[in-house]
């Protein structure tokens, strides 16, 4: 794994977001909830905030991706033709 470089401003390097690929929805949701719980702590050091926020955003994106994949795979029965059609969120 490549080392993170310090920026020219002297700030510490930003940690890489977690590798969320391959995680199940339940795993991603659990990790997101844990990250959000940590973000709500009163004793969270300010220096930890960017890394923790980045981790939460990565897990949130994974949850959204899984939900999107699932919704694209859901089909519904067209009552007029009795054929399966892709599900559309825009339909009433």
């Amino acid at each position: 794994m490549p080392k993170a470089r310090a920026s020219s401003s002297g700030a510490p390097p930003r940690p890489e977001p977690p590798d969320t690929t391959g995680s199940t929805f339940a795993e991603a949701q659990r990790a997101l909830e844990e990250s959000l719980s940590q973000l709500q702590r009163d004793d969270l050091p300010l220096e930890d905030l960017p890394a923790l926020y980045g981790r939460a955003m990565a897990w949130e994106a994974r949850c959204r991706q899984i939900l999107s994949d699932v919704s694209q795979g859901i089909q519904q029965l067209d009552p007029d033709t009795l054929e399966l059609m892709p599900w559309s969120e825009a339909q009433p």
Side-chain angles (χ1 to χ4, degrees):
M1 182 156 96
K3 289 186 177 182
R5 296 184 333 226
S7 69
S8 60
S9 67
R14 284 189 112 166
E16 294 290 321
D19 180 13
T20 62
T21 54
S23 60
T24 65
F25 183 79
E27 293 166 341
Q29 186 177 30
R30 217 174 2 259
L32 174 59
E33 288 172 356
E34 180 182 320
S35 295
L36 293 175
S37 175
Q38 291 176 8
L39 282 168
Q40 293 174 349
R41 287 182 17 213
D42 290 334
D43 62 344
L44 175 68
L46 186 60
E47 297 79 19
D48 294 348
L49 185 62
L52 194 51
Y53 180 77
R55 209 164 72 212
M57 292 304 294
W59 287 116
E60 186 267 344
R62 177 63 179 156
C63 287
R64 283 190 185 274
Q65 181 61 51
I66 293 170
L67 289 173
S68 175
D69 292 348
V70 168
S71 68
Q72 289 177 10
I74 294 175
Q75 296 183 345
Q76 66 183 30
L77 188 61
D78 180 349
D80 296 328
T81 64
L82 297 180
E83 293 181 7
L84 288 176
M85 298 177 14
W87 178 69
S88 171
E89 292 181 38
Q91 293 182 359

